[in-house]
């Protein structure tokens, strides 16, 4: 019996898929490489932008044919897309070959859904309060391990669907997180990435807990490992958090700090609760306190009402902030969010702006990459880079991906790499020292 999981979207979903895999393996299923070979196909979905959603519905639709060929095939849909209002009902009516639909807060029902498939379809998007500890997990990202620290979001940025599909902010207990991290380190994981929609607000719902103190507790655990975290909301990134990163060698000098726009007017309309000046001041402070820090970001173009002048403010901020990399998106209206009701921008304008934004960030990345050539960096070897044959890859502490040649036995080891060549975002180097 075999399973195939198709994961869409962010790291949170990648980690949720490790829990889905854990449940399926517990039931006796093994992983396979395509839906055609599988007895169970699970779509772990994303709905952050319309393009993602359209693609996923297309992929689910393809299961109709496959199920004609393999009538016992079980099809399950879970994650953010199914949690959207009306989505579960839509799938029930328009995709009769789907057996199970679950949301983001009840993965624990997957077993029951699969066991009853064929006799009874299961559609349930209720939020159950299951504890992380109750899930078997099958980890797929060695030497890195994902660790949830908080779920959901209370910020309601006006463009964003996440608070509607992931619910209100909930923090895990610090002792549970610490126990999980200790277990992972003793299992040989070398990099721990703390996950939350907004990690900086971790602990606001638990007396005496805070993100800075959680990081300090983890940072002082013995042994050589790296601690990463994502995502940081600029409005909640305190000096205490910056200090914790600066103090601990184990905590990576890498901050993912989504800015979204460089225009204070647009930031206000987005309900981001910081402005251009305070964001740039924060970036400066981070750079002063954390040597060689890599700051990455998310940026959106084409938010309702964005003028050419607003967009030029974004380009200007990109040049000033000098992000080591940026994920750039075209704004996509999401049903049920306030921004979807505002007057929208022309698609052609959005297209022009995303092209210009990508070119602008590319220049910045290229400049930073050039400064790295000739220098040596400690890199954690992650594995093959599937894009280039016989090439391994890993990240610098600041989060830059480096390609190099080395033996596959070095996966999970720290090596020193001298950067020899840089083509914009891609760095190439040679290993000069092994652990
Ligand atoms: N349209 C486009 N991009 C979006 N993001 C969030 N909501 C939308 C949307 N409606 C982007 C933001 C966020 C990242 C995860 O996705 O930049 O930081
Ligand atoms: Fe969405 Fe804003 Fe919450 Fe991030 S902070 S998940 S962008 S609402």
């Amino acid at each position: 019996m075999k399973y195939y999981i198709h994961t869409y979207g962010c790291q949170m979903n990648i980690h949720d898929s490790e829990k889905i895999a854990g449940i399926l393996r517990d039931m006796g299923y093994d992983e396979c490489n395509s839906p055609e070979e599988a007895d169970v196909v699970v779509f772990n979905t994303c709905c952050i932008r319309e393009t993602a959603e359209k693609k996923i519905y297309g992929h689910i639709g393809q299961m109709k044919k496959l199920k004609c060929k393999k009538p016992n095939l079980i099809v399950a849909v879970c994650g953010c897309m199914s949690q959207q209002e009306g989505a579960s009902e839509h799938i029930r009516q328009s995709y009769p070959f789907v057996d199970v639909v679950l949301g983001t807060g009840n993965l624990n029902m997957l077993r029951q859904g699969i066991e009853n498939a064929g006799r009874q379809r299961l559609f349930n998007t209720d939020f159950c309060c299951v504890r992380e500890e109750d899930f078997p997990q099958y980890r797929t990202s060695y030497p890195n391990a994902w660790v949830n620290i908080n779920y959901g979001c209370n910020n309601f940025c006006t463009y964003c669907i996440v608070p509607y599909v992931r619910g209100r902010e909930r923090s895990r207990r610090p002792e549970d997180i610490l126990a999980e991290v200790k277990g992972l380190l003793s299992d040989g994981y070398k990099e721990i990435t703390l996950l939350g929609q907004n990690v900086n607000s971790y602990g606001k719902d638990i007396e005496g807990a805070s993100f800075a103190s959680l990081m300090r507790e983890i940072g002082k655990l013995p042994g050589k490992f790296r601690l990463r975290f994502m995502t940081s909301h600029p409005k909640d990134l305190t000096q205490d958090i910056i200090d914790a990163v600066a103090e601990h060698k184990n905590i990576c000098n890498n901050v993912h700090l989504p800015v979204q726009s460089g225009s204070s007017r647009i930031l206000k309309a987005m309900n981001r609760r910081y402005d251009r000046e305070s964001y740039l001041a924060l970036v400066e402070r981070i750079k002063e306190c954390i040597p060689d820090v890599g700051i990455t970001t998310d940026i959106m173009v084409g938010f309702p009402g964005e003028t050419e002048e607003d967009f030029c403010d974004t380009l200007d901020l990109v040049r000033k902030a000098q992000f080591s990399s940026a994920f750039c998106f075209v704004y996509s209206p999401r049903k049920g969010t306030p921004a979807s009701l505002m007057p929208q921008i022309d698609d052609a304008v959005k297209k022009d702006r995303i092209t210009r934004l990508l070119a602008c960030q590319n220049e910045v990345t290229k400049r930073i990459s050039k400064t790295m050539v000739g220098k040596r960096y400690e890199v954690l070897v992650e594995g093959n880079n599937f894009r280039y044959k016989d090439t391994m890859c890993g990240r610098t502490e600041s989060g830059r991906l480096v390609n190099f040649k080395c033996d596959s036995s070095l996966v999970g080891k720290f090596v020193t790499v001298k950067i020899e060549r840089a083509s914009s975002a891609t760095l190439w180097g040679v290993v000069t020292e092994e652990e």
Side-chain angles (χ1 to χ4, degrees):
M1 299 280 271
K2 298 212 179 314
Y3 70 85
Y4 178 79
I5 304 175
H6 199 146
T7 308
Y8 305 83
C10 63
Q11 281 77 11
M12 198 70 78
N13 266 18
I14 293 175
H15 186 38
D16 282 349
S17 286
E18 296 183 328
K19 297 173 200 167
I20 295 170
I23 295 170
L24 294 169
R25 296 178 87 84
D26 234 29
M27 294 176 72
Y29 289 90
D30 280 322
E31 193 177 8
C32 67
N33 295 321
S34 73
E36 285 71 25
E37 299 162 59
D39 301 286
V40 175
V41 177
V42 181
F43 293 93
N44 188 13
T45 63
C46 168
C47 59
I48 196 102
R49 284 168 286 275
E50 195 187 1
T51 40
E53 229 180 326
K54 274 195 174 150
K55 188 166 75 183
I56 300 168
Y57 274 119
H59 290 167
I60 298 174
Q62 288 167 8
M63 293 300 105
K64 185 177 177 183
K65 250 192 182 161
L66 194 56
K67 203 146 174 172
C68 287
K69 271 200 266 171
K70 300 171 57 168
N72 292 331
L73 176 72
I74 299 170
V75 180
V77 181
C78 54
C80 294
M81 197 180 84
S82 23
Q83 193 71 47
Q84 272 179 299
E85 206 187 319
S88 175
E89 195 46 40
H90 172 63
I91 298 173
R92 185 208 292 270
Q93 285 177 11
S94 307
Y95 298 81
F97 48 89
V98 171
D99 300 284
V100 181
V101 174
L102 297 173
T104 57
N106 60 353
L107 266 185
N108 57 315
M109 296 176 83
L110 185 63
R111 186 183 192 112
Q112 174 196 338
I114 290 175
E115 279 171 355
N116 291 338
R119 293 190 298 276
Q120 196 182 10
R121 298 171 82 198
L122 175 66
F123 294 83
N124 192 317
T125 50
D126 295 342
F127 261 75
C128 310
C129 281
V130 264
R131 284 171 8 118
E132 181 87 14
E133 289 66 32
D134 298 335
F135 280 111
Q137 298 192 10
Y138 177 65
R139 296 191 176 269
T140 51
S141 60
Y142 179 83
N144 174 69
W146 309 106
V147 174
N148 289 119
I149 63 165
N150 53 358
Y151 312 94
C153 181
N154 289 352
N155 290 315
F156 289 94
C157 300
T158 55
Y159 51 80
C160 189
I161 193 78
V162 169
Y164 304 88
V165 294
R166 290 262 176 192
R168 296 292 66 71
E169 246 170 51
R170 286 124 26 231
S171 300
R172 279 178 78 194
R173 296 190 319 190
E175 55 271 35
D176 291 342
I177 298 170
L178 217 61
E180 182 176 351
V181 170
K182 281 181 186 164
L184 289 164
L185 295 177
S186 75
D187 286 348
Y189 287 89
K190 294 295 163 67
E191 185 178 80
I192 304 292
T193 306
L194 305 180
L195 288 179
Q197 235 62 247
N198 175 12
V199 285
N200 300 333
S201 63
Y202 170 79
K204 286 190 177 163
D205 48 349
I206 300 178
E207 207 177 311
S210 78
F211 184 51
S213 56
L214 177 71
M215 282 214 293
R216 287 194 172 95
E217 286 298 312
I218 300 174
K220 69 184 185 210
L221 291 175
K224 188 168 172 58
F225 70 95
R226 284 176 170 182
L227 180 62
R228 297 188 184 279
F229 54 96
M230 66 195 321
T231 289
S232 287
H233 195 305
K235 79 174 166 58
D236 297 314
L237 189 77
T238 59
Q239 187 61 42
D240 198 21
I241 296 172
I242 300 174
D243 291 343
V245 178
E247 275 160 29
H248 286 272
K249 213 171 161 288
N250 278 341
I251 307 181
C252 290
N253 54 7
N254 185 194
V255 185
H256 185 61
L257 195 67
V259 65
Q260 312 299 0
S261 168
S263 153
S264 294
R265 203 178 67 81
I266 294 296
L267 287 169
K268 191 158 199 303
M270 288 175 164
N271 190 32
R272 290 292 288 178
R273 286 173 277 174
Y274 55 85
D275 60 16
R276 167 194 175 80
E277 285 70 32
S278 58
Y279 183 89
L280 282 169
L282 178 62
V283 163
E284 279 319 302
R285 199 143 45 80
I286 296 171
K287 286 183 179 174
E288 272 164 30
C289 299
I290 309 171
D292 288 326
V293 66
I295 303 181
T296 57
T297 200
D298 295 343
I299 311 172
M300 216 184 289
V301 298
F303 183 83
E306 184 189 69
T307 62
E308 176 63 21
E309 198 185 339
D310 293 319
F311 174 65
C312 287
D313 280 350
T314 297
L315 292 181
D316 183 66
L317 182 138
V318 164
R319 292 189 198 102
K320 288 203 166 87
Q322 294 283 303
F323 299 114
S324 57
S325 70
F327 296 100
C328 301
F329 306 107
V330 171
Y331 165 75
S332 163
R334 303 284 63 209
K335 206 171 140 229
T337 61
S340 69
L341 304 173
M342 301 174 187
Q344 303 293 314
I345 299 243
D346 226 48
D347 279 353
V349 174
K350 287 181 178 172
K351 210 169 158 193
D352 170 63
R353 289 183 187 161
I354 192 81
T355 311
R356 286 155 69 200
L357 175 62
L358 288 168
C360 179
Q361 176 58 42
N362 208 21
E363 283 302 306
V364 174
T365 306
K366 212 191 257 173
R367 192 200 64 75
I368 297 174
S369 297
K370 275 194 186 147
T371 66
M372 297 175 79
V373 173
K375 292 190 185 144
R376 287 160 208 263
Y377 294 89
E378 187 180 67
V379 167
L380 174 59
V381 184
E382 288 177 14
N384 273 110
N385 185 335
F386 296 105
R387 273 193 179 181
Y388 308 101
K389 205 170 163 273
D390 299 329
T391 302
M392 303 291 275
C393 65
R395 262 160 234 282
T396 64
E397 195 196 324
S398 70
R400 288 295 304 268
L401 195 72
V402 186
N403 296 310
F404 46 87
K405 303 248 185 245
C406 78
D407 197 84
S408 59
S409 63
L410 290 180
V411 170
K413 300 267 189 289
F414 291 94
V415 296
T416 304
V417 175
K418 184 177 174 206
I419 308 297
E420 297 206 306
R421 203 151 57 80
S423 54
S424 188
T426 313
L427 301 169
W428 299 83
V430 285
V431 175
T432 59
E433 232 177 282
E434 293 176 15
E435 196 177 21

